[in-house]
Amino acid sequence: MLEYDGGEAILEAFRNLGVDYIISSPGSEWAPVWEALARQKTRETPGPTYINCWHETLAVNMALGYTRITGKLQAVLLHAGVGLLQGSIGIHGANQGEVPILICSGEANSYGENPELDPQGQWYRNLSVVGGPNRFVDPFTKWSGQATSPYTLYEQLIRAGEMAQRVPLGPTFLDIPIETMIHPWNPPQKMRQIPTAPKTQPSSELIDKLSAMLISSTNPLIITESAGKEPAGFNNLVELSNQLAIPVIESSPTYSNFPKSHPMHLGFDPSPLIDKADLVLVIGSRSPWYPPSAGPTNAKVIAIDENPIKGQMVHQNLMADMYIEGDLTTTLELLNADLKTNNKPNAAVIHDRWIQYKNEHDQFQEKNRISRKEASNKTTIDPIYLCQALSEIMPDNAVYVEETTSHRNTILQHVNWETPHSYIHPHGGLGQGLGLALGVKLAKPNQPVIALMGDGGLLYNPITQSFGVAGEANLPFLTIVFNNGNYEAMRRNHLHYYPNGEAFESGIFHGVHIPSPEYSELVTPFAGYGIKVESPSELGPALASALEAVNNGKLAIVDVLLDK
């Protein structure tokens, strides 16, 4: 009988958790897992696919991008505490966005003193962490711990994976010593496929109460950040808006939540409508308005989310008068069904409201159209013109992963997308966009994935590693650099605090200018297509050529020099 070790326990846990990919920036402690993966390959055993990643941040964000599209938990293996530190921005983002992910890193705890096992000297000299590496990630994981024994390793991994997928969803971490991995392991007598986490739902009484409130409301309003987390949630929100002619505001969206061309889509700023509303549905939104106290003063606020009170936020004020807690997609489905059967709306009221907000939608779109026309008449490239060109040239099934700061509102208003999962924005800090794009491409291999990156934000990313993994894993995507040569957000913040200060008077700003490299050449080592665009006439052909390159399996980057 073959004697397994802890590497097989780890791989078997991932199999039974339904993990599709083990994404790793590899470390020397993982030899038992590599051995188990080799055995899986030679024996043709079904199981997760290994993806070799070139950077820890990239590994974590790639897993996040895949999970945010598919909803499925993935596993990430990092190297020791130092690798955990490198990947921590992605883990923090998973915590902020409530994305389930299972992170593991290794260590040695015998330090060469065990005569039967030499983990090698790096663990003694450099890699050990006082108190264990889980101390690094305790503040921004849902749970973290150490695999304390080879006899508990398998079930500890199962438990960590199950915990990540329970409300509130989020990252879990397990530190696994090499001594535990190398130890013999006997599979449990009962080996099981781990069931999916059940979806919670609100009571029928709450749904019926909310339905009645909506029917009696004169000016209801929907504000959302993440109703489109699942495609069915996107569609259910459209149905709700259609039934009652409720306008929808996407405030700081992290997903595409609602079709932009829909007559009830009224943009991304709730402030013009908040004081007119008498009932506000805050649907899957952590921070529907800013500042936190700037919510509606005259309206009832209904917070709808499976976990509306965010423990990972230092401060939050939803101003809620009522909470409807449960799986968001399911809740919207139940509400739509109740409106059809138990609380039918007044058709004349709905018709009048539809006309009113369609007119406001048309006015909003007309302002955008005028802005685009003005931008198209310039001799330099306005960011709005770049957004218009993207809308015209990119196909309808394109997926945009956006990581910009000063250009984000422009992108939201002027790049067109209409369908679920056609827009993704990172949670947490800058430096995650390229990894998310790779994960989205892994989940949607037959759709063009386009990373919209500010030049400043791009430089926070592991660029070389991202492009290398794209080639190695055959995940070609397109990067568009919104290049204004500055950390513009830094300049704006400086002037926000010192509007008439010394920097304003002298023009001396620190931390603003970017001595830009030739971004278009960054894909050259990976046989990619790169081009620099400096005039409006060059933009359309460059975007079309880049899209063609990606469709032919090449990595591509377009560096667009903007006038602001």
Side-chain angles (χ1 to χ4, degrees):
M1 180 179 176
L2 180 66
E3 186 177 81
Y4 294 121
D5 62 18
E8 188 67 30
I10 294 169
L11 186 54
E12 188 64 27
F14 292 163
R15 290 188 191 112
N16 292 330
L17 284 166
V19 167
D20 294 328
Y21 294 97
I22 298 171
I23 305 176
S24 177
S25 177
S28 56
E29 71 268 40
W30 295 112
V33 177
W34 310 152
E35 183 69 13
L37 282 167
R39 186 163 51 245
Q40 174 179 278
K41 182 75 171 179
T42 58
R43 296 186 175 202
E44 298 182 347
T45 304
T49 299
Y50 173 77
I51 293 184
N52 187 50
C53 230
W54 297 21
H55 193 277
E56 290 86 355
T57 297
L58 187 58
V60 176
N61 285 123
M62 198 169 170
L64 293 184
Y66 185 85
T67 297
R68 288 184 63 178
I69 295 296
T70 65
K72 297 183 66 176
L73 175 85
Q74 301 306 301
V76 176
L77 303 183
L78 303 177
H79 177 45
V82 291
L84 198 57
L85 288 172
Q86 287 276 21
S88 61
I89 186 173
I91 303 171
H92 173 263
N95 189 55
Q96 288 291 309
E98 298 180 36
V99 183
I101 185 172
L102 177 52
I103 311 286
C104 300
S105 76
E107 66 168 329
N109 52 27
S110 58
Y111 306 112
E113 300 291 4
N114 181 350
E116 297 181 0
L117 174 64
D118 178 16
Q120 302 178 53
Q122 69 268 30
W123 298 99
Y124 172 57
R125 295 188 179 97
N126 298 313
L127 299 181
S128 62
V129 179
V130 175
N134 51 295
R135 292 183 65 189
F136 289 153
V137 293
D138 274 342
F140 46 84
T141 51
K142 183 178 176 182
W143 177 89
S144 69
Q146 185 191 68
T148 53
S149 163
Y151 305 104
T152 60
L153 171 60
Y154 173 81
E155 287 296 345
Q156 281 187 279
L157 279 164
I158 293 294
R159 181 172 180 266
E162 289 188 297
M163 199 180 308
Q165 299 174 83
R166 259 55 184 189
V167 178
L169 282 66
T172 53
F173 169 76
L174 190 65
D175 162 40
I176 310 177
I178 182 67
E179 291 84 355
T180 298
M181 283 190 271
I182 209 77
H183 192 280
W185 175 71
N186 293 316
Q189 289 186 337
K190 180 180 179 181
M191 196 71 74
R192 60 197 173 96
Q193 292 293 313
I194 307 305
T196 56
K199 292 188 174 184
T200 59
Q201 64 182 56
S203 67
S204 58
E205 290 80 10
L206 274 177
I207 291 293
D208 195 57
K209 181 179 179 180
L210 175 57
S211 179
M213 292 172 73
L214 283 166
I215 294 298
S216 63
S217 170
T218 302
N219 291 308
L221 172 66
I222 291 171
I223 302 175
T224 187
E225 174 188 328
S226 61
K229 178 180 177 181
E230 297 177 351
F234 180 105
N235 295 329
N236 290 344
L237 183 61
V238 172
E239 183 180 347
L240 175 61
S241 177
N242 284 342
Q243 283 201 76
L244 298 179
I246 308 178
V248 175
I249 300 290
E250 295 184 88
S251 179
S252 297
T254 51
Y255 295 87
S256 51
N257 300 297
F258 199 77
K260 289 187 178 182
S261 62
H262 193 285
M264 294 299 103
H265 191 285
L266 290 186
F268 305 91
D269 178 11
S271 57
L273 293 178
I274 274 185
D275 288 335
K276 300 177 185 177
D278 61 355
L279 183 67
V280 177
L281 304 189
V282 174
I283 301 179
S285 183
R286 301 172 301 158
S287 51
W289 41 74
Y290 183 83
S293 59
T297 54
N298 302 313
K300 291 284 187 183
V301 176
I302 315 299
I304 304 175
D305 201 343
E306 63 181 355
N307 177 44
I309 306 299
K310 309 298 185 185
Q312 70 271 31
M313 295 179 68
V314 176
H315 180 62
Q316 183 188 27
N317 184 4
L318 298 177
M319 303 179 70
D321 299 286
M322 185 169 126
Y323 292 96
I324 307 290
E325 297 189 27
D327 175 74
L328 192 54
T329 298
T330 303
T331 299
L332 292 174
E333 182 180 352
L334 292 171
L335 181 58
N336 283 328
D338 192 271
L339 287 166
K340 290 177 181 176
T341 56
N342 298 332
N343 289 291
K344 294 186 177 180
N346 183 306
V349 171
I350 302 305
H351 176 266
D352 290 346
R353 193 156 64 213
W354 183 275
I355 297 300
Q356 173 193 344
Y357 288 120
K358 181 183 182 301
N359 288 337
E360 292 192 26
H361 167 85
D362 291 344
Q363 291 170 17
F364 175 74
Q365 295 288 16
E366 178 62 14
K367 288 181 181 178
N368 285 341
R369 189 193 66 78
I370 292 171
S371 296
R372 289 192 283 268
K373 184 176 181 180
E374 291 173 350
S376 68
N377 290 329
K378 296 170 69 174
T379 57
T380 54
I381 303 176
D382 189 290
I384 294 176
Y385 184 71
L386 170 55
C387 293
Q388 179 182 0
L390 287 166
S391 297
E392 292 174 353
I393 292 168
M394 298 302 145
D396 292 339
N397 68 340
V399 183
Y400 295 98
V401 178
E402 175 266 322
E403 188 175 39
T404 64
T405 49
S406 56
H407 294 124
R408 189 183 183 203
N409 288 336
T410 300
I411 289 168
L412 289 174
Q413 289 197 54
H414 296 285
V415 177
N416 191 51
W417 54 77
E418 298 287 327
T419 57
H421 286 171
S422 54
Y423 171 80
I424 298 285
H425 181 77
H427 301 104
L430 292 170
Q432 304 182 74
L434 295 184
L436 280 176
L438 281 167
V440 170
K441 185 64 178 180
L442 187 63
K444 290 180 171 285
N446 298 319
Q447 293 179 233
V449 173
I450 303 159
L452 306 179
M453 309 293 294
D455 52 338
L458 177 65
L459 294 175
Y460 286 100
N461 282 257
I463 303 171
T464 302
Q465 296 91 331
S466 299
F467 292 165
V469 172
E472 182 179 352
N474 191 27
L475 298 171
F477 69 98
L478 170 58
T479 300
I480 307 294
V481 184
F482 281 64
N483 185 356
N484 61 5
N486 289 307
Y487 291 107
E488 180 61 22
M490 308 291 187
R491 188 184 70 85
R492 289 181 182 177
N493 281 341
H494 188 128
L495 293 176
H496 173 74
Y497 294 116
Y498 301 96
N500 299 304
E502 196 70 29
F504 172 77
E505 294 292 338
S506 66
I508 301 173
F509 289 92
H510 291 80
V512 172
H513 177 63
I514 299 175
S516 301
E518 290 295 333
Y519 296 112
S520 61
E521 296 180 7
L522 294 175
V523 296
T524 302
F526 309 101
Y529 173 84
I531 188 169
K532 183 177 183 179
V533 178
E534 301 183 70
S535 69
S537 62
E538 300 170 342
L539 182 57
L543 292 176
S545 297
L547 177 63
E548 182 181 10
V550 170
N551 289 338
N552 289 330
K554 284 188 172 186
L555 188 67
I557 186 169
V558 181
D559 176 19
V560 185
L561 273 61
L562 302 175
D563 59 12
K564 59 183 176 182

